[in-house]
Amino acid sequence: MKKILNVSEMKQVRGGAQTSSLCGEGEKLYTCTTTYNSGFKSTGAVCAATIFMARRAIIMAKTDQMQADPGIDDIQCS
């Protein structure tokens, strides 16, 4: 499973996919905004090899946290 950053690590994020010592070899740090069916938005960062894998990691993490359909409408990563 890909690493999802905590609050202190997020403070180091400047936006856009970038090389980071926080990520594993071959991965970049992606900043992603998740929009839920309710209209609520959250922004975070994830280490992944591609944008597709960043989106997948967020969906998996949110589903695990909620133990059900997290109601995600859209995920935009850069």
Side-chain angles (χ1 to χ4, degrees):
M1 178 105 173
K2 303 300 177 195
K3 180 177 181 179
I4 299 206
L5 304 180
N6 65 33
V7 174
S8 65
E9 291 168 328
M10 273 298 299
K11 291 179 182 177
Q12 300 173 36
V13 176
R14 298 289 180 246
Q18 57 189 334
T19 303
S20 173
S21 61
L22 298 170
C23 298
E25 186 177 329
E27 295 181 327
K28 290 188 178 184
L29 185 64
Y30 289 88
T31 302
C32 301
T33 300
T34 305
T35 306
Y36 296 88
N37 296 338
S38 64
F40 176 77
K41 290 184 180 186
S42 67
T43 301
V46 63
C47 292
T50 66
I51 287 178
F52 173 77
M53 294 303 292
R55 290 180 185 145
R56 184 175 180 269
I58 290 170
I59 290 169
M60 290 177 67
K62 295 297 182 186
T63 302
D64 286 348
Q65 288 171 3
M66 298 179 171
Q67 300 296 315
D69 179 11
I72 294 173
D73 187 41
D74 186 37
I75 300 173
Q76 295 293 319
C77 297
S78 61

